Amino acid sequence: MASPPEPDIILYKSGTPNGQEASITLQELGIHYDVKNIEISKSVQKEGWFRQINPNGRIPPTSTRPLHQMDKRGKSASSNLVHSCYISAKDTTRKTSWIIPMIRTSTGKLSSGLFGCKAASSYAGKPKLSTYLNPTKVDDLQGQANHFYRYAPEKIGYGIKRYQTEARRLYSWQRRPWIVGDRMTIADIANFVWVNWAEWAGIDVKPFQFLNQWLDRFNERPAIKRGLDVPEPFTMKEKLKSKGGFAVLSVSTANTCNQREGEKRVRQAS
């Protein structure tokens, strides 16, 4: 019996919100892919081979297998938006249309005041995508809350309070079943992966009734669980509930922060 062909798409990621966004999207679309676990705590994403795929040295890029094999005929997508557009452009069956509903239209616009999520695209003749996306303000503001609350070498109360407050303000906007239309789209996924990490930023989501209902709709979907568990099981929430698990997370993140600070000093000195 012949073995199945290798998947064309390779996803390079770790278990972070940005990485989970890509794997959840692929799982929801039912697209077969390979995963390369990138240990960002060891700065693997800064190595030369990785920068050939994404010069910015950030996860989660995707590539086609020829590029992974260092064949210049391969293609890469350096961000989640570009990744989604690439899949949509290749999709002749339109099976992506439910999750990326507007990208393939001539004047498509996926927008919502909620979370500041906007995307627009143009389409002329053969699929030619010209896109703009400021995927969320949640990733910007909660990312800063993560930094000041967990990673900053010194605790700065002003920074923690400011960005936690801004994230909560955006959480309060969620009062719809889904962000755009009557079904889940990439706008929802782009926000879910950050809201799902709220505890890591020191933010309690319990006061937000509509937000919790939205989160429940996500957690009922098997593909969401599968996407969260790539490249390894997502255990952050469980670990935060126990002293032992919290200690492991704290040591891990402290090591990551110290390494990044050391690399920054080296760059400044060179």
Side-chain angles (χ1 to χ4, degrees):
M1 182 177 179
S3 58
E6 292 181 313
D8 184 53
I9 293 177
I10 300 174
L11 172 63
Y12 305 82
K13 64 160 290 187
S14 63
T16 63
N18 284 328
Q20 290 170 345
E21 181 181 346
S23 54
I24 285 174
T25 301
L26 288 166
Q27 290 288 343
E28 283 285 352
L29 293 172
I31 294 176
H32 191 34
Y33 63 100
D34 270 349
V35 177
K36 303 297 179 184
N37 187 5
I38 304 300
E39 297 184 75
I40 59 176
S41 63
K42 297 180 180 179
S43 296
V44 173
Q45 73 279 13
K46 304 300 183 182
E47 295 177 1
W49 70 269
F50 187 94
R51 287 185 179 274
Q52 291 188 46
I53 298 166
N54 181 8
N56 193 33
R58 296 286 190 271
I59 66 147
T62 54
S63 76
T64 57
R65 189 162 295 279
L67 183 64
H68 178 71
Q69 296 168 345
M70 300 308 164
D71 184 332
K72 293 182 179 179
R73 292 172 295 179
K75 294 180 173 63
S76 67
S78 58
S79 69
N80 280 319
L81 170 65
V82 177
H83 164 75
S84 297
C85 292
Y86 172 73
I87 291 175
S88 179
K90 286 175 65 70
D91 176 24
T92 57
T93 65
R94 295 294 181 96
K95 69 179 180 181
T96 63
S97 61
W98 68 273
I99 199 169
I100 314 172
M102 307 299 284
I103 284 179
R104 296 178 63 93
T105 66
S106 59
T107 58
K109 186 175 183 181
L110 175 61
S111 66
S112 173
L114 172 62
F115 297 158
C117 182
K118 296 183 179 180
S121 67
S122 64
Y123 170 82
K126 295 180 180 180
K128 181 180 180 182
L129 298 174
S130 173
T131 57
Y132 162 77
L133 180 67
N134 180 13
T136 64
K137 290 299 182 184
V138 170
D139 61 352
D140 295 335
L141 297 173
Q142 192 172 313
Q144 292 297 323
N146 287 345
H147 174 78
F148 282 104
Y149 188 70
R150 294 286 179 188
Y151 301 109
E154 62 177 297
K155 293 295 183 183
I156 302 175
Y158 172 78
I160 294 172
K161 182 178 179 181
R162 170 178 169 76
Y163 290 109
Q164 286 181 342
T165 299
E166 285 297 295
R168 291 188 187 98
R169 178 178 63 83
L170 296 180
Y171 289 177
S172 69
W173 291 0
Q174 170 57 310
R175 295 180 176 274
R176 307 174 183 174
W178 301 108
I179 292 177
V180 180
D182 60 356
R183 61 183 65 186
M184 187 186 72
T185 68
I186 55 171
D188 295 280
I189 295 174
N191 287 285
F192 166 77
V193 294
W194 285 94
V195 178
N196 196 46
W197 281 75
E199 298 97 323
W200 191 244
I203 303 172
D204 184 6
V205 299
K206 292 178 182 178
F208 303 98
Q209 176 186 352
F210 293 103
L211 186 76
N212 278 280
Q213 293 172 356
W214 178 73
L215 289 170
D216 289 343
R217 282 188 283 275
F218 265 96
N219 290 320
E220 291 170 356
R221 304 176 72 96
I224 299 298
K225 171 63 175 173
R226 294 196 300 270
L228 287 173
D229 288 341
V230 175
E232 55 194 7
F234 176 58
T235 59
M236 180 272 290
K237 293 177 180 292
E238 288 73 19
K239 287 180 178 178
L240 284 180
K241 294 176 182 178
S242 68
K243 291 184 179 179
F246 178 77
V248 171
L249 281 174
S250 297
V251 170
S252 175
T253 54
N255 289 340
T256 299
C257 182
N258 290 337
Q259 181 170 352
R260 288 175 178 172
E261 284 297 313
E263 292 172 350
K264 182 179 178 181
R265 292 190 187 101
V266 169
R267 289 195 300 270
Q268 290 174 341
S270 61

